[in-house]
Amino acid sequence: MPQSSENPNDYPRRILVAVTGLSPQIVTETLYALAVAPSGTPFVPNEIHLVTTRSGAEKASLALLSETPGWFHHLCRDYALPSIRFSADTIHVLEDADGRPLDDIRSPEDNRRAADGITALIREFTADADCALHVSIAGGRKTMGFFLGYALSLYGRPQDKLSHVLVSAPFESSSGFYYPTPIRHVLELPGGRLVDSAQAQVTLAELPFVSLRHGLPEALLTGRASYNETVEAARHALAPAELQIDLASRRVLAAGKVFSLPPAELALLSVFARRALCGQPPLAAPAKEVPDGDWKARYLVELRWIAGTFGDLDKTEDALRHGMDGGYFSAHLSKLKKILKRELGPAAAPYLISDGGSRPRRYRLALRPAAVWYGALEATTGTRSAATTIPPAPAASRQPAPIDVTIDPIPPGA
């Protein structure tokens, strides 16, 4: 069932996600700060998931989940916490390119694999509308914490939270400290000093983050894009909108993504793109069931450039023999809008044909002239369709190509 609350406790699935290295204490310290001694409303997860290396997974299993010392089970018993799913199945070991567990993160390739693994996990969890995440970046290598926090910034929702745990001195440097116990528990520190873990203070520092989720295309929210691809898509979504049209290949570059458009919809987009390029005013749509000769002319000019010298436009020309009416215009405008939203998600907004929002309706593509140009797009490589980026065309190709329906058309990019 879809949720809309910002309160994590309103969600049936509540997950604590943490990165750990060789200090699994971060799990019990964070759980204690969230569920036992919170500064605000308690958050009791019903699942705990760790992201770590092979050696980190071994240490977490032995220190937290074994019968002895079993610090996670001790904490749950000491403070009568409800059942929490935490087992070897919820410890996620990062893998190299060959699927082998990573022992550590030392090389650039290790970093890329860690980033992709962490991003995939956060994307999976945030795709569940019944789930609220609490993400801790306190453990593991600094790069792991960074990737986890950034992944939440990319995919996080209002109910998701980010934090770091703080432990008072001298307990923060003790390998034997896991949480403040309810009764005296003596620890020996390096140098022989004895301390009582019941006296420790553990607090949670919540870290506000900016969610970029609204700028990601649906394909990246539900697909298998890498960390770099997701970051690139977010960057383009936040950058000023620019549109490049390649009529010959029937493709456009918008929000950093190259994709194809059907000829009819590309022609309609090109009508408005040229007007934006030349700084021309908005246009009224053709009237319903009243053929409009001017609209027919400007539309067929674009369609002929798309179809090429030997393109067959007989059916279209026959359908528009008396002019374009409002029904034809609305049908293709609606299809164009649907395709743009499917390809670009929320980032489609600047590329949609606007009707002005008030009557009488006047339609335009609300891009500045410098943001629109015509020219050949470089050939794409690979089979991925999500977040394919193409470098901007050189300045020389950003030449206006105005077309007036009363004169012979000028070729795009001429």
Side-chain angles (χ1 to χ4, degrees):
M1 59 178 176
Q3 301 278 347
S4 58
S5 172
E6 295 186 16
N7 183 354
N9 289 309
D10 290 340
Y11 292 78
R13 190 182 184 200
R14 300 177 302 279
I15 302 177
L16 169 60
V17 182
V19 286
T20 63
L22 299 179
S23 299
Q25 295 93 326
I26 184 63
V27 177
T28 46
E29 291 166 353
T30 303
L31 180 57
Y32 174 88
L34 283 171
V36 178
S39 57
T41 304
F43 175 80
V44 182
N46 45 35
E47 296 180 34
I48 295 177
H49 290 258
L50 300 190
V51 182
T52 186
T53 58
R54 183 174 65 176
S55 54
E58 291 174 353
K59 189 159 186 180
S61 294
L62 292 172
L64 301 176
L65 299 175
S66 61
E67 291 187 12
T68 304
W71 285 109
F72 167 72
H73 302 301
H74 272 297
L75 171 61
C76 292
R77 286 194 299 266
D78 281 348
Y79 292 102
L81 296 180
S83 175
I84 300 173
R85 179 180 170 232
F86 181 34
S87 66
D89 292 337
T90 62
I91 297 178
H92 306 269
V93 179
L94 297 169
E95 298 177 342
D96 64 16
D98 297 320
R100 296 172 299 199
L102 284 174
D103 283 319
D104 201 354
I105 300 173
R106 295 188 179 277
S107 69
E109 178 61 23
D110 292 344
N111 271 310
R112 284 191 290 272
R113 296 296 301 178
D116 290 348
I118 289 169
T119 299
L121 188 66
I122 295 299
R123 178 172 55 235
E124 176 188 341
F125 288 149
T126 54
D128 183 355
D130 289 334
C131 166
L133 293 184
H134 190 102
V135 171
S136 171
I137 60 170
R141 288 196 174 273
K142 290 182 175 64
T143 50
M144 293 175 67
F146 172 83
F147 290 139
L148 185 59
Y150 205 93
L152 189 66
S153 186
L154 289 169
Y155 289 102
R157 306 150 304 171
Q159 70 267 31
D160 300 323
K161 308 299 178 186
L162 182 68
S163 75
H164 189 287
V165 70
L166 305 172
V167 179
S168 61
F171 301 95
E172 83 277 16
S173 59
S174 171
S175 61
F177 176 78
Y178 281 80
Y179 62 90
T181 52
I183 59 175
R184 175 174 291 185
H185 178 75
V186 178
L187 298 175
E188 183 175 353
L189 302 179
R193 180 185 173 187
L194 300 179
V195 293
D196 180 5
S197 65
Q199 302 302 314
Q201 298 293 317
V202 175
T203 56
L204 205 69
E206 188 169 317
L207 307 174
F209 66 92
V210 177
S211 176
L212 305 178
R213 183 183 182 88
H214 67 282
L216 296 179
E218 185 65 24
L220 294 188
L221 294 176
T222 58
R224 298 178 61 84
S226 71
Y227 171 83
N228 286 344
E229 289 171 333
T230 308
V231 170
E232 191 69 12
R235 289 173 58 189
H236 282 294
L238 296 173
E242 291 187 336
L243 175 67
Q244 182 175 351
I245 296 179
D246 183 350
L247 294 178
S249 70
R250 303 179 182 182
R251 296 182 301 156
V252 299
L253 167 62
K257 182 179 180 182
V258 172
F259 56 95
S260 299
L261 284 174
E265 285 63 49
L266 179 57
L268 188 59
L269 177 63
S270 189
V271 167
F272 289 103
R274 283 192 201 280
R275 297 185 68 82
L277 179 64
C278 299
Q280 295 175 336
L283 277 174
K288 185 179 181 180
E289 298 181 358
V290 179
D292 186 313
D294 287 345
W295 255 108
K296 167 189 173 180
R298 63 172 62 95
Y299 179 74
L300 287 179
V301 161
E302 303 296 342
L303 204 56
R304 288 185 184 114
W305 282 120
I306 295 167
T309 304
F310 301 105
D312 184 4
L313 297 180
D314 290 348
K315 290 183 179 179
T316 302
E317 291 181 336
D318 183 61
L320 300 176
R321 60 186 179 279
H322 300 301
M324 180 189 291
D325 66 9
Y328 191 98
F329 174 86
S330 296
H332 290 290
L333 183 65
S334 177
K335 186 175 179 181
L336 174 62
K337 180 179 180 180
K338 183 178 180 180
I339 294 172
L340 291 174
K341 286 188 171 184
R342 183 190 69 210
E343 294 289 344
L344 303 178
Y351 306 96
L352 301 178
I353 308 304
S354 167
D355 64 5
S358 60
R359 296 182 183 279
R361 305 293 188 192
R362 293 290 185 270
Y363 293 82
R364 70 181 184 123
L365 178 63
L367 293 178
R368 66 193 192 285
V372 180
W373 71 95
Y374 285 77
L377 289 166
E378 295 180 8
T380 58
T381 58
T383 58
R384 283 192 304 246
S385 61
T388 303
T389 56
I390 298 293
S397 70
R398 299 191 183 198
Q399 299 178 19
I403 291 180
D404 189 301
V405 299
T406 63
I407 60 175
D408 291 334
I410 302 173

